[in-house]
Amino acid sequence: VASPAASPQKAPLASSENMPTASTAGPGVVSAEDHEAMRAAFEAAIAERDRTIAQLEEDNNALQEAVQECEDAMATIMTMHRQQITGVQDQRRTEVLALHAELDAERAANNTLRAENVSLQETAERYLAVLRQAALEEEASVADAELRESILAREAEDLRALLAAQDTDLGLDSVDTNSEQFAAFVAANPASASS
């Protein structure tokens, strides 16, 4: 703040003995009346200057207070802005962390499902292999049974033909395998019965 300038030293008033009088003043010499008028005007100018300086100092102080208030308000606004930005950043950071956690959980769930899928697929392949093996064994068993049935049918046919030939040799037109005569014949000819 500019301090008021020091008032200039007032010139000492001239004594009545040293001041020129109208009777003694020559051309170009200031009279006492003019001197007093000039002095009064000078003092009035100094007083006006002092009032102006005081007003400027008051205005300067008011402006400084206004600037300080603006600086305080700006500091408050910046603090609130930083707090808001920090809050938004913290919220976004929290949301990002939550999203990462959800993604990690989904990845873990997908990995678990993938592992279960692989395990189920392997189990299904084992079951299919067992079913194929059982089907093959069933086919082999059916084929073996059919083969045995065919062999037994041929053996039975051969036995019937043999019995028919023996009946012809013995002069029997027909043989009742359930009759006592057939039982006696089998007992008497065990080799024929076994063949």
Side-chain angles (χ1 to χ4, degrees):
V1 178
S3 60
S7 300
Q9 296 290 335
K10 294 182 179 181
L13 297 176
S15 63
S16 58
E17 294 81 8
N18 296 329
M19 292 182 61
T21 61
S23 59
T24 60
V29 177
V30 179
S31 64
E33 292 79 3
D34 293 337
H35 180 74
E36 288 297 329
M38 292 174 61
R39 179 179 176 183
F42 180 73
E43 290 178 351
I46 291 176
E48 181 65 23
R49 185 203 64 182
D50 291 340
R51 286 193 299 272
T52 302
I53 291 174
Q55 184 64 39
L56 290 174
E57 288 179 346
E58 183 178 353
D59 294 342
N60 191 11
N61 291 332
L63 289 173
Q64 285 185 345
E65 291 178 357
V67 169
Q68 186 63 41
E69 290 178 358
C70 290
E71 290 178 351
D72 294 341
M74 184 62 68
T76 301
I77 292 172
M78 292 302 296
T79 300
M80 293 175 62
H81 179 69
R82 283 192 293 270
Q83 291 176 352
Q84 185 177 6
I85 292 297
T86 302
V88 171
Q89 290 177 346
D90 292 340
Q91 183 179 0
R92 289 182 178 177
R93 188 179 299 109
T94 302
E95 291 175 354
V96 169
L97 292 176
L99 288 175
H100 282 304
E102 291 179 1
L103 289 175
D104 292 338
E106 289 181 359
R107 291 193 190 96
N110 290 333
N111 292 331
T112 301
L113 290 175
R114 190 177 294 109
E116 291 178 354
N117 188 15
V118 171
S119 178
L120 290 174
Q121 186 174 0
E122 292 176 351
T123 303
E125 289 177 354
R126 287 196 299 270
Y127 287 160
L128 288 175
V130 171
L131 290 175
R132 291 193 191 97
Q133 183 65 29
L136 292 175
E137 291 177 357
E138 181 67 19
E139 290 178 359
S141 176
V142 170
D144 187 43
E146 291 177 352
L147 179 61
R148 287 198 301 272
E149 184 178 356
S150 177
I151 293 173
L152 290 175
R154 286 197 302 270
E155 290 178 353
E157 188 66 26
D158 293 340
L159 287 173
R160 290 191 188 95
L162 180 61
L163 288 174
Q166 288 180 353
D167 289 342
T168 302
D169 294 339
L170 295 174
L172 298 176
D173 296 333
S174 62
V175 177
D176 186 4
T177 56
N178 294 322
S179 64
E180 295 179 358
Q181 183 180 3
F182 181 77
F185 174 76
V186 170
N189 299 281
S192 300
S194 61
S195 60

